[in-house]
């Protein structure tokens, strides 16, 4: 069995985790869980970076002993990580004796290599960055990252001959193109290496909070040097050789793009100096912004992860962050988008699919599904393709691509139900075998997608599997189990909705200019835009009396009247037609023709009313892709506000037929 050792950055503990720092842990956890699913012996390490001056100052401000403060913060961090279902195997704190021993050992190795020398440092130091700054790094007297004035320091320091390692690092980058990903980070560091490296200060004089330099206990080791070494002290460097031999070098360091230089230049140079192997790969992820603004503890613009957890629990948050942000790029969090995606992906799409499969299995087969002799339908091949794409994307840490592949199966299963109409098959005894296979196929599609989603929604995917009759314990499932199985009997369990639709107003919590969690800027909004417009011109109305806009089939020769009613392209373009996916459908009480629909338009959801009840059973509509008029004024029908109009052919004397496509088109696409 292959082994995989991965780490995240260790967090400063001068304030609680925010959604940005949590994002990194969630992404790394998805990778760790994927690797376990893929059969790797996986070791996942996280931790806290405690020796920063900001941590020391914060503890003093609160009148607490720094170590006692760090102990308390460690509990807070661990509590958040536990609630987010982060499956780390070890959690290292830089105040631990095992870390201190390993750090001093590694500095001794670097000293023995002749790479540490004494000197004097005079210059800028930004405490929030915990970094020495050159004149060019200070803009208008301020650190451009934290917008605070750096300290001018003059002290005796130990220096590391980083300048020696520019050439070896360039060679390493050339020999190992995968060492730093994505490319944008690699290129940035290559440019830096090409300009040459200066030696760096690796100690701070006159400070007590930190790990003493072995050669001069009156100085402490520079906090970044101390922190970087955690990756190897966590696997026993300096304390447990066999553990180091088992796990070092690390396979992957997951870190934010702002700290790439420390990880891809200073850290490997330290390791080369100490004669140790380098980590195999560093992934520099992007930033999570809040409403397009940088989220940062020191800027005080943070979203509280616990608020996000309280909204829907851990799984929806994990799914949002992994699915909506391309791993490696920056992404945005807004409460509105979070709630919308929750409704679309979980309440309506996956959640609804599971409920429908369970309800139909119960109704038509007493909860017991068996395949028929006919063999599986088209979902089997689609799921096989999706599994291959999933594996390829996850191996490349394109986490959003992996999740999208799993959801392709969910989408296809919903479409398959709409297409095969199990309720219609159930009415015809001659189609009983076909019905058995259809039900088996959709249950199997849910089972396969749930296995692929185990790393992302680790609390609910096991429940999906249980409901679909999977007997293997989730922790024992491997990727191979996601292969399509067309055999055996499945006992399907029904249950409460896993993700009830969120229809309430949202209150967002963002801490602006304050670290006090009670200082929240709250806002209210309605997520489910309920506007339905119909203007009497929906298919039902059209069926009764075609509206003036719905022209009959074109005559061979255009008449004078039809030429007179021609419109220009400008007029046509005023009508904004969009592709939408039907999420829910219910018959409007006391109306023969009207159905109330909710639709996904990619960027938003809407409610509309359509006069298609005589042509379609409400149940059969869910999952269909339709075309709607997007920019129609809202109108009320039977007391329901309708916000858009569904397009359907309206044959004289016949039933309306919905406009559709011969291939998959994503919701929100414009139709012209
Ligand atoms: N203590 C150092 C890391 C030392 S690793 C040897 C540090 N700590 S931090 O608490 O400031 O940041 C921890 C991690 O969170 C870093 O990888 C950082 O890039 C990441 N993020 C901080 N804010 C973030 C966002 N808004 N979005 C995404 N990641 C963010 O740096």
């Amino acid at each position: 069995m292959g082994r995989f050792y991965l780490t995240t950055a260790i967090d400063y503990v001068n304030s609680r985790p925010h959604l940005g720092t949590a994002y990194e842990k969630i992404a790394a956890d998805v990778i760790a869980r994927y690797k376990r699913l893929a059969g790797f012996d996986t070791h996942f390490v996280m931790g806290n970076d405690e020796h920063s001056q900001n941590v020391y100052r914060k503890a003093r401000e609160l009148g607490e002993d720094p170590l006692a403060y760090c102990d308390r913060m460690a509990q807070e961090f661990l509590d958040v990580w536990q609630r987010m279902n982060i499956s780390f195997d070890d959690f290292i704190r830089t105040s631990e004796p095992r870390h201190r021993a390993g750090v001093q050992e590694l500095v001794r190795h670097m000293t023995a290599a002749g790479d540490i020398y004494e000197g004097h440092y005079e210059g800028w130091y930004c405490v929030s960055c915990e970094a020495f700054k050159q004149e060019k790094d200070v803009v208008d007297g301020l650190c451009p990252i934290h917008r605070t004035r750096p300290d001018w320091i003059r002290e005796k320091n130990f220096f590391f001959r980083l300048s020696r390692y520019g050439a070896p690092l360039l060679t390493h980058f050339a020999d190992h193109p995968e060492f730093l990903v994505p490319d944008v980070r690699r290129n940035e560091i290559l440019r830096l290496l090409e300009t040459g490296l200066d030696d760096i200060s690796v100690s701070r004089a006159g400070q007590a909070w930190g790990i003493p330099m072995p050669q001069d206990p009156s100085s402490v080791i520079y906090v970044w040097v101390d922190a970087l070494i955690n990756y190897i002290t966590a696997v026993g460097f300096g304390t447990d050789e066999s553990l180091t031999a088992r796990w070092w070098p690390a396979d992957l360091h997951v870190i934010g793009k702002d700290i790439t230089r420390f990880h891809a230049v200073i850290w490997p140079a330290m390791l080369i100096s100490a004669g140790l192997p380098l980590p195999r790969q560093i992934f520099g992820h992007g930033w999570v912004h809040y409403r397009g603004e940088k989220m940062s503890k020191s800027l005080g613009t943070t979203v509280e992860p616990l608020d996000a957890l309280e909204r829907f629990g851990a799984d929806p948050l994990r799914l949002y962050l992994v699915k909506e942000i391309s791993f490696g790029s920056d992404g945005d969090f807004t409460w509105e988008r979070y709630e919308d995606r929750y409704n679309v992906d979980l309440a309506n799409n996956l959640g609804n699919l599971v409920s429908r499969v369970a309800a139909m299995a119960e109704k038509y087969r007493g909860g017991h599904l068996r395949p028929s002799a006919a063999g599986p339908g088209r979902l089997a091949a689609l799921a096989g393709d999706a599994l291959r794409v999933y594996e390829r994307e996850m191996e490349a840490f394109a986490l959003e691509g992996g999740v999208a592949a799993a959801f392709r199966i969910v989408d296809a299963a919903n479409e398959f139900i709409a297409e095969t109409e199990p309720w219609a098959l159930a009415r015809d005894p001659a189609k009983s075998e076909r019905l058995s296979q259809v039900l088996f196929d959709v249950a199997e599609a849910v089972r396969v997608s749930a296995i692929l989603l185990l790393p992302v929604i680790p609390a609910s995917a096991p429940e999906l599997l249980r409901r679909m009759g999977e007997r293997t314990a989730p922790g024992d499932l491997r990727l191979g189990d996601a292969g399509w199985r067309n055999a055996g009997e499945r006992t399907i369990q029904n249950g409460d909705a896993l993700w009830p639709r969120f229809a309430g107003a949202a209150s967002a919590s963002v801490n602006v200019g304050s670290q006090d969690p009670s200082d929240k800027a709250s806002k209210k909004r309605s997520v489910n835009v309920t506007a339905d417009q119909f203007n009497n011109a929906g298919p039902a109305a059209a069926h009764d009396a075609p509206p003036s806009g719905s022209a009959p089939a074109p005559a061979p020769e255009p008449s004078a009247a039809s030429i007179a009613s021609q419109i220009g392209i400008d007029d046509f373009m005023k009508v904004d037609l969009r592709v939408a996916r039907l999420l829910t459908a219910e018959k409007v009480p006391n109306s023969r023709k009207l159905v109330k629909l909710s639709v996904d338009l990619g960027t938003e959801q809407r409610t509309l009313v359509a006069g298609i009840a005589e042509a379609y059973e409400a149940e059969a509509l869910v999952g269909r892709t339709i075309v709607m008029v997007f920019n129609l004024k809202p109108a009320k029908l039977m007391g329901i506000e309708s916000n858009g109009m569904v397009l359907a052919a309206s044959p004289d004397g016949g039933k309306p037929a919905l406009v559709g496509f011969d291939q998959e088109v994503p919701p929100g696409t414009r139709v012209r």
Side-chain angles (χ1 to χ4, degrees):
M1 190 197 314
R3 65 105 167 132
F4 197 82
Y5 171 32
L6 83 154
T7 64
T8 63
I10 53 174
D11 294 331
Y12 291 133
V13 294
N14 44 306
S15 49
R16 289 151 46 82
H18 61 67
L19 201 65
T21 44
Y23 166 65
E24 174 176 285
K25 314 308 181 266
I26 288 173
D29 186 57
V30 170
I31 296 173
R33 288 176 183 274
Y34 165 75
K35 285 290 174 184
R36 293 185 195 115
L37 185 65
F40 284 81
D41 182 13
T42 302
H43 192 57
F44 174 26
V45 173
M46 297 177 12
N48 281 352
D49 188 353
E50 302 181 327
H51 289 140
S52 102
Q53 286 180 60
N54 272 341
V55 171
Y56 180 81
R57 286 179 190 177
K58 181 77 184 190
R60 285 285 176 239
E61 241 173 69
L62 298 171
E64 290 183 52
D65 167 68
L67 192 56
Y69 168 81
C70 289
D71 290 346
R72 188 166 64 72
M73 289 308 281
Q75 282 317 310
E76 294 208 21
F77 274 75
L78 288 169
D79 176 49
V80 175
W81 304 146
Q82 192 199 346
R83 292 206 215 178
M84 285 190 171
N85 238 326
I86 309 290
S87 63
F88 55 81
D89 298 291
D90 197 356
F91 191 88
I92 187 158
R93 294 176 49 193
T94 54
S95 57
E96 285 179 59
R98 62 168 170 162
H99 178 67
R100 182 188 174 110
V103 168
Q104 291 189 325
E105 181 66 9
L106 202 133
V107 171
R108 267 188 223 110
H109 279 55
M110 293 164 71
T111 310
D115 281 338
I116 303 289
Y117 64 94
E118 250 185 279
H120 279 88
Y121 177 79
E122 180 165 1
W124 298 110
Y125 189 84
C126 171
V127 174
S128 294
C129 292
E130 287 288 11
F132 301 93
K133 299 264 164 183
Q134 296 182 352
E135 211 50 66
K136 67 173 171 48
D137 302 324
V138 177
V139 180
D140 298 329
L142 301 178
C143 160
I145 302 169
H146 294 97
R147 296 176 218 158
T148 49
R149 174 169 287 281
D151 298 333
W152 182 263
I153 60 168
R154 187 182 299 133
E155 58 188 39
K156 186 191 91 173
N157 276 177
F158 287 90
F159 286 80
F160 170 44
R161 285 187 213 283
L162 182 63
S163 55
R164 265 192 184 175
Y165 292 97
L169 284 175
L170 274 170
T171 308
H172 188 78
F173 270 78
D175 293 347
H176 302 276
E178 75 294 345
F179 179 59
L180 175 59
V181 285
D183 279 350
V184 54
R185 315 272 179 264
R186 176 182 154 80
N187 294 338
E188 185 190 313
I189 294 298
L190 279 175
R191 275 197 304 275
L192 178 81
L193 289 173
E194 279 153 8
T195 59
L197 300 175
D198 294 327
D199 292 351
I200 57 162
S201 170
V202 291
S203 71
R204 297 298 316 275
Q207 287 183 14
W209 183 237
I211 300 177
M213 278 299 278
Q215 51 271 69
D216 175 9
S218 70
S219 294
V220 295
I221 294 169
Y222 170 45
V223 63
W224 264 103
V225 169
D226 167 343
L228 287 163
I229 301 174
N230 93 86
Y231 300 128
I232 194 163
T233 57
V235 290
F237 182 75
T239 54
D240 183 346
E241 262 178 46
S242 63
L243 194 64
T244 315
R246 176 160 180 222
W247 293 111
W248 193 258
D251 293 278
L252 181 67
H253 292 323
V254 176
I255 53 147
K257 64 178 182 179
D258 54 322
I259 56 175
T260 319
R261 192 173 59 88
F262 293 102
H263 284 80
V265 177
I266 299 177
W267 176 226
M270 286 164 57
L271 288 166
I272 302 175
S273 166
L276 293 162
L278 306 195
R280 298 204 171 93
Q281 195 165 46
I282 299 165
F283 192 105
H285 62 75
W287 286 85
V288 182
H289 296 288
Y290 175 72
R291 291 193 170 280
E293 280 284 319
K294 185 180 170 191
M295 204 187 297
S296 116
K297 288 186 251 191
S298 48
L299 293 181
T301 50
T302 62
V303 172
E304 287 282 327
L306 290 182
D307 287 344
L309 283 177
E310 266 159 29
R311 181 72 39 97
F312 306 124
D315 280 358
L317 180 66
R318 294 170 61 105
L319 181 70
Y320 177 90
L321 292 173
V322 173
K323 184 166 180 282
E324 298 305 305
I325 301 174
S326 156
F327 195 48
S329 307
D330 291 347
D332 206 31
F333 180 91
T334 67
W335 290 100
E336 294 83 347
R337 181 134 177 85
Y338 179 38
E339 292 155 357
D340 286 350
R341 291 321 304 175
Y342 166 87
N343 273 342
V344 172
D345 291 330
L346 291 173
N348 296 326
N349 203 358
L350 183 54
N352 203 17
L353 172 66
V354 175
S355 304
R356 294 171 83 200
V357 171
M360 290 191 295
E362 174 73 42
K363 184 167 170 188
Y364 304 128
R365 292 290 180 268
H368 300 287
L369 300 184
R370 253 179 248 103
S372 73
R378 69 175 179 87
L379 283 181
L382 186 136
D385 286 345
L387 174 59
R388 275 186 290 281
V389 173
Y390 173 86
E391 216 172 332
R392 191 188 65 216
E393 299 283 69
M394 296 300 276
E395 284 298 326
F397 308 128
L399 308 181
E400 69 292 349
V403 181
F407 266 84
R408 220 161 287 139
I409 305 175
V410 175
D411 290 343
N414 270 320
E415 276 153 25
F416 191 64
I417 293 175
E419 212 174 86
T420 53
E421 304 188 329
W423 46 91
L425 297 175
R427 284 197 294 264
D428 184 349
K431 294 183 174 152
S432 176
E433 283 287 280
R434 171 88 181 116
L435 175 62
S436 293
Q437 187 68 50
V438 164
L439 295 177
F440 192 89
D441 283 358
V442 284
E444 177 62 4
V446 175
R447 189 192 71 86
V448 170
S449 54
I451 293 179
L452 304 191
L453 289 171
L454 271 168
V456 187
I457 49 171
S460 28
E463 174 60 10
L464 298 181
L465 288 164
R466 190 190 68 79
R467 291 189 188 187
M468 292 304 113
E470 172 62 67
R471 292 201 196 97
T472 307
D476 293 338
L477 286 166
R478 294 290 166 263
L479 262 190
D481 295 308
W484 193 268
R485 290 180 186 161
N486 189 52
E489 184 181 295
R490 303 276 165 82
T491 305
I492 307 295
Q493 311 283 337
N494 223 327
D496 291 343
L498 284 164
W499 300 286
R501 250 185 92 71
F502 180 72
S507 82
S509 296
V510 56
N511 291 341
V512 178
S514 164
Q515 298 304 324
D516 178 357
S518 62
D519 178 16
K520 289 171 182 171
S522 297
K523 56 174 276 309
K524 299 273 178 197
R525 73 178 288 278
S526 167
V527 170
N528 297 323
V529 185
T530 46
D532 250 284
Q533 67 215 186
F534 206 57
N535 276 3
N536 246 358
H543 177 45
D544 288 338
S548 53
S550 70
E557 292 294 326
S559 65
S562 72
I563 290 170
S565 66
Q566 279 174 347
I567 56 167
I569 186 78
D570 290 348
D571 284 329
F572 173 71
M573 291 308 258
K574 282 184 200 154
V575 184
D576 189 349
L577 299 174
R578 299 275 180 102
V579 175
R581 218 159 76 84
L582 292 179
L583 300 171
T584 60
E586 57 191 80
K587 249 191 125 235
V588 173
N590 305 322
S591 163
R592 215 161 29 93
K593 294 176 179 165
L594 297 182
V595 194
K596 181 180 166 193
L597 307 167
S598 69
V599 298
D600 171 21
L601 281 147
T603 49
E604 64 177 284
Q605 290 178 26
R606 288 193 186 180
T607 301
L608 22 148
V609 176
I612 51 176
E614 288 178 321
Y616 297 91
E617 284 191 46
E619 211 181 9
L621 287 165
V622 176
R624 277 186 85 120
T625 299
I626 55 140
V627 179
M628 63 175 275
V629 182
F630 183 72
N631 59 342
L632 203 60
K633 276 191 196 134
K636 270 207 170 160
L637 268 128
M638 300 285 287
I640 305 167
E641 204 173 59
S642 180
N643 196 359
M645 186 181 100
V646 174
L647 293 195
S650 311
D652 282 341
K655 290 179 178 171
L658 285 168
V659 171
F661 298 95
D662 59 2
Q663 54 182 280
E664 247 180 65
V665 186
T669 308
R670 273 203 78 162
V671 179
R672 323 187 148 128

